[in-house]
Amino acid sequence: MSDEATEQRIADVRGIRPFVQPIVLLVLGVVAGVATLLAPGPELRFGLTAVTGGCLAAASLVAIRDLWRVWRVRRTFRAAFELIQHDPAPSFCTDVDGAIVLQNASAERRFGERLGLPMARAISGALPNAAAVVFRQETSLTRRPSAHEVVVTPRGTVRLAAHRLNGGVLWRLDDMADANSRHGEWIGLPMMVVSHNDTVLSMNSAMRDVLGRRATTLEDVFPDQPLVAGRRSSLSGTDGKIEVIPIVVSAKDGRREIYAVPGLSEPPAASVAARAFEALPVALLHIGAEGEVLASNHHAQKLLGIDADVTGPMSNFVENLGRPVRDWVADTLAERVPNRSEVARAKQRKDETFLQISLSRIVDGTGPSLLAVLHDATELKTLEQQFVQSQKMQAIGELAGGVAHDFNNLLTAITGHCDLLLLRHDQGDLDYADLVQINQNANRAASLVRQLLAFSRKQTLEPEVMDLRDSMGELTHLLNRLVGERITLTLSNDPGLTPIRADRRQLDQVIMNLVVNARDAMPDGGEVRVETRMVHLAEPMSRDQAVVPSGSYVTIRVRDHGHGIPPDKLNRIFEPFFTTKRTGEGTGLGLSMAYGIVKQTGGYIFVDSVVGAGTTFTIYIPAHEAAEVEAAAPIVVADKVPDTSARLADDRPGVVLLVEDETPVRAFASRALRLRGYTVIEAGSAEEALETLSDADLTIDLFVTDVIMPGMDGPSWVREALKERPNTKVVFVSGYAEDALEEGSIGVPGSVFLPKPFSLSDLTETVRQQLH
């Protein structure tokens, strides 16, 4: 468009309907003037003359006002055109009637001349359902000065922006560089894009073929609302309802891409779902009823750092969940916990990659299974502080884990030889009390190792279904001794408390830590109140950057009336080595341990404090719907006579190959097993064990081996030995946490794990159970 033509178009812009009111007033004035000439009396002529003058004066003033408005509208359009004329994006200006009066060179190149046309008609070739999009923009402009909408088309993503002008609207059509938006046609799955208010913005040809029509809302496609990703839903197809699994991919601007995936009833390798995995632009895993990863697409393989043919337990691929991975998978399969996203670390990746994992339970002809949707959560700002906290704890955990192996070896030798000495002394002996003190303090040292690993979530938990009322009752005597005479301890239990699943010893340690902190906050005495309550959350509870899902919880509340915690320190109290106590009065590890144990149990811990009024710690632990509470394991006491159970069914003593690189541990273990009547063959390394087994005439019933040793490790030599002796039972022992070893570096079917430090009774009972 030439400059002269542009000026002419701007000159023709009115933006309002000028001179309508002046003309009406002028006509009224003329009519009044004519009536004045025909009026019979002077009074009437005087009145009509006044009306005529008033109308003519008003017509003049209104005409001047309209001329001013027209000038302002033209000036606005001229400024708008100067703004858009060199814009690379197609831009238009429309008047109050919605007709295009100006367009820039980019718009003319793409659409041709569109002057005088409505905006919806001018861009109909660029946007599907352009009239609806333009109408929504015009409606939004009645409430605010500008509006925009992102529309996904088969050719890409387009952003239509509208800005209100004085007497019209400025429109700008921008092509967004979004490679992912062009997958809709070739993906082969029914797919559509919906807005934040569930309006269907676009759909690919596969979805149109399935529906047999164009849908306008999400409810037109999926009648059963709300739509839950991963949960089997009914799609209203042209031939009736179709059972599909919706996969939802959310964008930052509120849009959602929804894919309709067929069921998972076929074997994963050949199913339509497996082919869909490769086509979908999101990382997916199919997890079977045993917790095994059955199928994955290339997006998931890239996130997890694994090859295409790798399968196995979910715990092989992710860690740092805060609880055992297999428990999380099993609880979701059994519907004991709500479907919620968890953040875990990709175990096979060399770099630090965190994944947000959503598990959805699906049921078909083959039974229940899980659909896992993975997202890279490393750079999510909303999880940034949680990651920082995890990294702090991980640093301490790595330090603790590095020394745990050697430390636990020493403790195994100390407690083991102490057990051997106790077998040779009666309670009346002078040395008996000293030996008991050595044994008790060695057990305390082992407990410290577990607690040090607790806040980094690396220790081995032994969860059991328990009634908290019984546990609190047993703990009351010890708590009363801890608080002293100046402090009154009050315990209140909810009679309707349901069982929980937790490590009894570790949970007791958490409560003791909180009670000791409450005692220290009241040096002049006071009351420490410990309460247990049943809480039902009808909807998720957001607090302290954590979201507690809806459901039933057992809460433990420890309250004091001490000096309180200052607000500037409140958000740091769970950090390792941070303490509000004076130098020498605290290590700064107690609350860190409590935090780690609670998180690893699957619960939450919060703190409320008012300076000068006191502090309250509240723990939320998911209620466990169990038929009955598991009975506590009986304490096994070492007998002083050989155990006849060491003899096998053919009435010969069991033969044990003991492989341990630490001489003191090997010496204790061999003596303990021989005392029980077993025949023990010792080896100081894996290579020595394999050399011993080269004798084909040698009968071995059980391998007892350390996991980490110089040279070949325990699992490696055991796998080699089982090739020739496939029926031999295996017991692995290690000073490292079980979570870091099982289903990963061990992976030997039928084997059991015995953590160090272990007692004489622990070792002999484990061996007996494996052999019998």
Side-chain angles (χ1 to χ4, degrees):
M1 184 185 297
S2 64
D3 293 342
E4 294 80 4
T6 300
E7 285 298 325
Q8 183 60 45
R9 296 295 303 181
I10 293 175
D12 292 339
V13 174
R14 292 291 185 265
I16 58 172
R17 293 173 177 81
F19 308 123
V20 174
Q21 291 177 340
I23 291 173
V24 171
L25 291 170
L26 182 61
V27 170
L28 290 175
V30 171
V31 171
V34 173
T36 301
L37 297 176
L38 300 177
E43 293 85 357
L44 184 58
R45 284 196 298 271
F46 178 80
L48 290 174
T49 301
V51 171
T52 301
C55 289
L56 294 176
S60 301
L61 292 175
V62 173
I64 294 172
R65 183 202 65 182
D66 287 352
L67 288 172
W68 167 252
R69 288 182 175 178
V70 169
W71 179 82
R72 286 184 59 202
V73 168
R74 290 174 179 173
R75 186 183 66 172
T76 300
F77 273 76
R78 186 175 290 106
F81 186 75
E82 290 176 357
L83 179 67
I84 68 173
Q85 63 178 335
H86 301 300
D87 192 336
S91 303
F92 304 87
C93 290
T94 57
D95 59 17
V96 291
D97 295 321
I100 296 175
V101 294
L102 294 172
Q103 66 182 91
N104 64 359
S106 177
E108 189 169 355
R109 285 193 301 270
R110 180 167 176 178
F111 299 100
E113 186 172 317
R114 289 292 186 265
L115 298 176
L117 295 178
M119 186 64 191
R121 182 178 173 186
I123 62 172
S124 59
L127 298 180
N129 203 7
V133 176
V134 171
F135 175 77
R136 287 195 293 270
Q137 299 290 78
E138 291 175 338
T139 304
S140 297
L141 289 178
T142 62
R143 300 188 301 270
R144 51 182 183 267
S146 64
H148 74 274
E149 184 172 325
V150 178
V151 182
V152 178
T153 73
R155 292 182 297 275
T157 303
V158 177
R159 182 178 186 270
L160 179 64
H163 303 270
R164 193 168 62 216
L165 299 176
N166 182 18
V169 179
L170 171 64
W171 302 85
R172 187 174 187 272
L173 198 68
D174 189 19
D175 291 317
M176 301 174 65
D178 185 1
N180 289 333
S181 65
R182 290 187 287 273
H183 60 256
E185 290 303 326
W186 58 263
I187 194 170
L189 288 171
M191 170 264 187
M192 64 181 180
V193 179
V194 299
S195 66
H196 66 280
N197 59 358
D198 291 348
T199 300
V200 176
L201 302 178
S202 67
M203 60 178 65
N204 66 358
S205 57
M207 179 65 83
R208 288 193 293 271
D209 291 343
V210 170
L211 297 178
R213 67 190 190 283
R214 279 190 173 274
T216 58
T217 65
L218 182 62
E219 192 173 0
D220 292 341
V221 182
F222 295 97
D224 299 330
Q225 295 293 320
L227 184 67
V228 179
R231 184 179 298 173
R232 190 174 293 275
S233 302
S234 296
L235 183 148
S236 298
T238 183
D239 298 325
K241 290 188 176 182
I242 304 171
E243 295 296 319
V244 298
I245 300 168
I247 300 296
V248 181
V249 182
S250 300
K252 292 182 179 179
D253 59 1
R255 291 182 298 116
R256 288 168 293 160
E257 297 176 359
I258 300 177
Y259 302 85
V261 180
L264 298 169
S265 57
E266 301 175 45
S271 67
V272 176
R275 296 193 296 273
F277 281 4
E278 291 304 320
L280 285 170
V282 64
L284 294 175
L285 298 175
H286 181 204
I287 303 173
E290 300 299 325
E292 299 277 330
V293 175
L294 304 177
S296 61
N297 64 358
H298 68 280
H299 294 286
Q301 294 153 15
K302 183 178 179 181
L303 281 179
L304 293 171
I306 60 175
D307 296 329
D309 56 347
V310 175
T311 59
M314 189 68 175
S315 57
N316 282 5
F317 309 116
V318 296
E319 61 182 1
N320 287 6
L321 185 65
R323 58 180 301 197
V325 175
R326 62 181 180 182
D327 279 5
W328 176 47
V329 173
D331 287 347
T332 306
L333 275 167
E335 294 185 300
R336 288 194 290 267
V337 296
N339 292 347
R340 60 173 181 175
S341 297
E342 296 281 1
V343 176
R345 179 182 175 274
K347 199 171 183 179
Q348 306 293 337
R349 292 279 294 262
K350 294 181 179 179
D351 56 343
E352 198 78 358
T353 300
F354 290 88
L355 305 175
Q356 185 182 27
I357 307 173
S358 301
L359 295 183
S360 298
R361 186 177 186 269
I362 50 180
V363 181
D364 49 34
T366 63
S369 60
L370 295 176
L371 188 68
V373 182
L374 282 60
H375 295 284
D376 189 348
T378 308
E379 297 181 359
L380 284 180
K381 293 183 180 179
T382 55
L383 297 174
E384 197 170 289
Q385 294 186 353
Q386 295 180 27
F387 292 160
V388 170
Q389 182 74 3
S390 175
Q391 288 165 357
K392 289 178 180 178
M393 293 184 175
Q394 184 179 358
I396 305 300
E398 293 296 332
L399 177 63
V403 301
H405 180 256
D406 293 336
F407 192 39
N408 282 328
N409 276 331
L410 295 174
L411 289 174
T412 302
I414 293 172
T415 56
H417 285 92
C418 189
D419 285 344
L420 292 173
L421 285 171
L422 285 170
L423 292 177
R424 301 202 300 269
H425 289 76
D426 293 323
Q427 293 188 12
D429 293 349
L430 295 178
D431 296 334
Y432 188 85
D434 296 332
L435 291 172
V436 170
Q437 284 295 321
I438 294 172
N439 190 275
Q440 289 178 350
N441 283 280
N443 289 332
R444 286 183 60 193
S447 178
L448 285 174
V449 174
R450 288 193 296 268
Q451 292 174 37
L452 188 61
L453 294 173
F455 65 83
S456 64
R457 311 183 206 176
K458 288 179 177 288
Q459 96 280 26
T460 302
L461 289 186
E462 298 175 3
E464 59 182 285
V465 179
M466 54 183 283
D467 190 325
L468 197 56
R469 292 169 296 187
D470 297 338
S471 177
M472 294 297 297
E474 297 170 3
L475 193 61
T476 302
H477 179 67
L478 178 58
L479 293 178
N480 276 313
R481 293 178 57 189
L482 284 174
V483 298
E485 296 180 354
R486 287 188 172 187
I487 304 295
T488 301
L489 179 69
T490 304
L491 178 63
S492 173
N493 284 322
D494 188 338
L497 221 58
T498 60
I500 60 173
R501 189 169 186 265
D503 187 309
R504 183 185 298 266
R505 291 180 304 170
Q506 298 293 346
L507 190 58
D508 288 350
Q509 186 64 50
V510 170
I511 297 171
M512 284 191 289
N513 283 348
L514 296 179
V515 169
V516 168
N517 281 348
R519 176 202 67 188
D520 294 343
M522 298 184 294
D524 298 327
E527 180 189 21
V528 175
R529 186 170 184 84
V530 182
E531 302 174 349
T532 61
R533 292 290 182 268
M534 196 69 206
V535 174
H536 302 278
L537 297 180
E539 56 185 28
M541 179 182 73
S542 298
R543 178 177 173 182
D544 299 346
Q545 300 174 357
V547 178
V548 182
S550 58
S552 299
Y553 292 87
V554 173
T555 65
I556 306 170
R557 183 171 295 155
V558 179
R559 179 181 302 167
D560 65 65
H561 300 284
H563 48 65
I565 304 172
D568 60 327
K569 296 180 179 179
L570 201 59
N571 61 346
R572 297 189 59 197
I573 59 172
F574 293 118
E575 293 183 8
F577 303 118
F578 178 81
T579 179
T580 59
K581 300 176 182 178
R582 290 179 296 183
T583 303
E585 293 186 358
T587 62
L589 288 176
L591 290 178
S592 297
M593 296 171 189
Y595 176 87
I597 292 170
V598 171
K599 293 297 290 182
Q600 195 168 2
T601 305
Y604 302 83
I605 181 169
F606 303 107
V607 58
D608 299 284
S609 186
V610 178
V611 175
T615 302
T616 301
F617 285 89
T618 306
I619 299 171
Y620 287 78
I621 300 177
H624 188 85
E625 301 298 334
E628 59 182 16
V629 179
E630 298 174 4
I635 299 174
V636 181
V637 180
D639 298 328
K640 294 191 176 184
V641 296
D643 190 350
T644 57
S645 65
R647 307 194 71 80
L648 302 181
D650 54 3
D651 200 31
R652 64 176 179 83
V655 181
V656 178
L657 176 58
L658 175 63
V659 186
E660 171 63 63
D661 62 308
E662 289 287 336
T663 303
V665 177
R666 189 172 69 250
F668 149 65
S670 62
R671 287 181 59 189
L673 292 173
R674 288 190 178 102
L675 281 173
R676 294 301 187 191
Y678 296 103
T679 300
V680 181
I681 301 174
E682 299 181 35
S685 66
E687 291 77 9
E688 184 180 347
L690 291 175
E691 184 178 351
T692 302
L693 292 174
S694 62
D695 183 0
D697 296 330
L698 181 64
T699 300
I700 301 293
D701 301 304
L702 177 71
F703 299 147
V704 177
T705 176
D706 195 5
V707 175
I708 305 299
M709 297 182 292
M712 186 181 294
D713 62 21
S716 299
W717 84 259
V718 167
R719 292 191 192 96
E720 187 70 24
L722 289 178
K723 294 179 181 178
E724 301 295 330
R725 301 170 184 264
N727 297 322
T728 307
K729 302 297 181 65
V730 184
V731 174
F732 287 106
V733 298
S734 179
Y736 289 107
E738 182 180 4
D739 239 13
L741 299 169
E742 66 176 359
E743 299 181 347
S745 61
I746 293 180
V748 175
S751 62
V752 296
F753 180 82
L754 178 63
K756 295 178 181 178
F758 50 79
S759 66
L760 184 150
S761 298
D762 293 335
L763 175 63
T764 55
E765 178 64 18
T766 302
V767 169
R768 186 190 67 81
Q769 290 181 359
Q770 273 294 84
L771 285 176
H772 300 279

